[in-house]
Amino acid sequence: MSKPGRHQEPGRRPQASAPPARDGWPPPGSRVPRARSAPARRTPASGTARRVRAWPAAGRDRLAAERVELATLERGIRFRVIFLILMGTILAVAATDVLTGAAGLFRETEARPLTPAEQTRYIKDDIAGRWHTWPADLVFPTELQYIGLGRTQQYARRIGLAPEVPCRSGVDAATGSVLAQHGCRTLLRASYTDQTSTFVITVGIAVLRDEEAQIAAAAQLPVDDRVGVRPVAFPGTASELFGAAQRQRNGWIPVGPYIVFSTAGYRDGRTRESIPREEILHSELWPTAQAVAGRIARALGDQPSAVPRCTQGNVC
């Protein structure tokens, strides 16, 4: 119900009065639109903390695990690179050594002329090995030529070969101690008789380390024709009565790494004391013994008939 004296329009809200016009604008009676005010910013109520969204724990653990895995992978890659570099270096050095060695071996094995020093060494080695590389019949021939009375050519015959023995076992004590001191390796012996079967001769070959040892030993051997190599007798032969008491003279010849000993006596068993010294000096016994031992020594010490010119024969 409306109050009397006031006009009202239903549903219409009272309008705000227009601001006064300035300089005649806006015209009187026109409507001016209301400016819309900006929406008010909502601020949190005082005393209320701002809420922060928490990161899920499972995500943090997964990210940490991925980082650890990545760091481990990078470290493994670094180690592998270092390992590969190290192995490559080792293989390169090894390959270089192999190639260098192969080249050196090729140069060493290819045929080339022997130097004078190498030829000398070849000759020494050949001579030093003859006592065991040569057959027994070449070391101690079954027959040896010598010059007898009247400058006639005669032949000594080998009676038998003795087994190989240590140096001390086949010589007298004074001689054996000197040989042992200078490294005597072994002693070879054989017995001969002259063409008339009057004399018996035992030849012994003492094998030393090298020529230098032989020279040193020969300088210390006793100067006594009563001692030297011991006789070797073979029963049932011309030498069966030949023993230490029957030795008339002893001697030796140095050659290469060898000392060739000889001793001689009579087949009939006469002792040294039973023969006057003058007779021994004028007898054919000792020249025959020296000739037989000399032939054996020369064969052992002769230079090889052919010395190779190259490291592989005679073709370089």
Side-chain angles (χ1 to χ4, degrees):
M1 182 175 179
S2 61
K3 291 182 179 184
R6 296 187 65 177
H7 176 75
Q8 294 181 348
E9 292 182 4
R12 176 172 300 197
R13 294 180 179 178
Q15 297 287 337
S17 60
R22 291 181 180 179
D23 299 329
W25 186 264
S30 65
R31 291 184 177 181
V32 178
R34 295 174 57 185
R36 294 184 179 179
S37 60
R41 181 176 298 177
R42 299 179 64 183
T43 58
S46 60
T48 304
R50 186 175 182 179
R51 297 180 63 186
V52 179
R53 184 179 181 183
W55 192 268
R60 292 198 303 270
D61 293 343
R62 185 172 61 255
L63 181 59
E66 290 177 355
R67 289 177 179 175
V68 171
E69 183 179 356
L70 181 60
T72 303
L73 181 60
E74 291 177 351
R75 185 166 57 251
I77 292 174
R78 287 197 300 270
F79 287 161
R80 184 173 181 179
V81 170
I82 294 172
F83 174 78
L84 292 177
I85 293 174
L86 181 61
M87 290 302 297
T89 304
I90 293 174
L91 291 176
V93 173
T96 303
D97 290 343
V98 170
L99 292 175
T100 303
L105 180 62
F106 177 76
R107 288 193 300 270
E108 184 65 24
T109 56
E110 67 177 347
R112 59 173 178 79
L114 287 175
T115 64
E118 289 173 331
Q119 290 180 335
T120 301
R121 172 52 57 186
Y122 175 88
I123 294 171
K124 285 186 175 182
D125 291 344
D126 182 85
I127 293 173
R130 289 175 181 175
W131 69 275
H132 66 87
T133 59
W134 280 6
D137 289 346
L138 197 55
V139 177
F140 293 113
T142 55
E143 284 191 347
L144 285 171
Q145 180 181 344
Y146 69 95
I147 303 300
L149 291 175
R151 308 297 297 172
T152 59
Q153 180 176 296
Q154 300 187 32
Y155 292 90
R157 179 174 53 87
R158 191 182 73 195
I159 299 173
L161 291 168
E164 182 179 335
V165 296
C167 297
R168 286 182 178 272
S169 302
V171 297
D172 295 306
T175 303
S177 63
V178 173
L179 295 178
Q181 179 183 351
H182 294 281
C184 184
R185 302 171 64 182
T186 190
L187 183 71
L188 312 175
R189 291 180 296 170
S191 290
Y192 288 83
T193 184
D194 69 319
Q195 187 163 312
T196 63
S197 295
T198 303
F199 312 126
V200 180
I201 305 148
T202 293
V203 179
I205 302 173
V207 183
L208 286 92
R209 293 191 306 269
D210 49 36
E211 188 171 356
E212 289 73 19
Q214 174 268 112
I215 294 172
Q220 298 181 17
L221 286 174
V223 184
D224 187 349
D225 66 358
R226 294 172 297 177
V227 297
V229 66
R230 293 175 180 171
V232 179
F234 297 91
T237 68
S239 64
E240 62 181 347
L241 298 178
F242 187 41
Q246 284 72 39
R247 291 183 296 180
Q248 302 297 323
R249 293 189 67 176
N250 294 272
W252 47 268
I253 303 170
V255 57
Y258 310 108
I259 297 178
V260 181
F261 293 92
S262 60
T263 186
Y266 290 97
R267 175 182 179 177
D268 57 11
R270 283 179 284 176
T271 63
R272 181 183 176 100
E273 288 75 14
S274 65
I275 306 295
R277 185 168 181 80
E278 293 77 13
E279 181 179 342
I280 293 297
L281 292 175
H282 295 88
S283 171
E284 193 179 357
L285 180 146
W286 190 239
T288 301
Q290 287 180 309
V292 171
R295 288 293 303 274
I296 292 173
R298 283 195 298 273
L300 284 173
D302 278 349
Q303 290 195 2
S305 57
V307 178
R309 297 192 301 271
C310 307
T311 54
Q312 298 181 5
N314 293 321
V315 178
C316 298

